[in-house]
Amino acid sequence: MKNFVQTGDTLTFTAPAPVVSGQGVTMGALFGVATTSAAAGVPFEAALSGVYVLPKAADNIAAGAALYWDAAEGQVTTDDDDGANRLVGAATENAGTSAATVPVRLNSIAA
């Protein structure tokens, strides 16, 4: 089809601050996981689909729970913080309060 551009599984973001490979990142309404590290102002690729292990708040998370990105803490949480945290995906496994990470299936669009 002649109007197809790309699959969109990864997109190029520009780092507003230094980015580390595997870090959750946002660009406007998009949320992804950095595939490489980049210095501030440098373009890098971010994966927008798939399941990634991300750092989490001290929440008790059930598989299937909606997860929000807390940009200030650089982690996912079950708390939308009255809309301040953005919906980024859902947990694919249970993760108790003592777990530091949780596997997250990305939505790609941060609501």
Side-chain angles (χ1 to χ4, degrees):
M1 143 179 36
K2 59 184 171 179
N3 60 340
F4 178 79
V5 176
Q6 68 186 75
T7 61
D9 294 333
T10 61
L11 290 177
T12 303
F13 287 22
T14 299
V19 171
V20 178
S21 177
Q23 175 182 336
V25 292
T26 60
M27 180 176 72
L30 298 172
F31 177 83
V33 175
T35 62
T36 60
S37 297
V42 174
F44 67 96
E45 295 299 303
L48 303 182
S49 63
V51 178
Y52 296 87
V53 174
L54 295 175
K56 67 174 258 323
D59 301 335
N60 187 26
I61 298 175
L67 294 174
Y68 301 84
W69 185 247
D70 181 342
E73 298 296 327
Q75 62 189 9
V76 293
T77 178
T78 56
D79 183 7
D80 75 347
D81 194 22
D82 294 323
N85 293 336
R86 300 158 56 153
L87 180 65
V88 296
T92 62
E93 297 177 14
N94 296 330
T97 56
S98 63
T101 61
V102 63
V104 180
R105 194 266 186 200
L106 301 182
N107 285 346
S108 79
I109 298 291

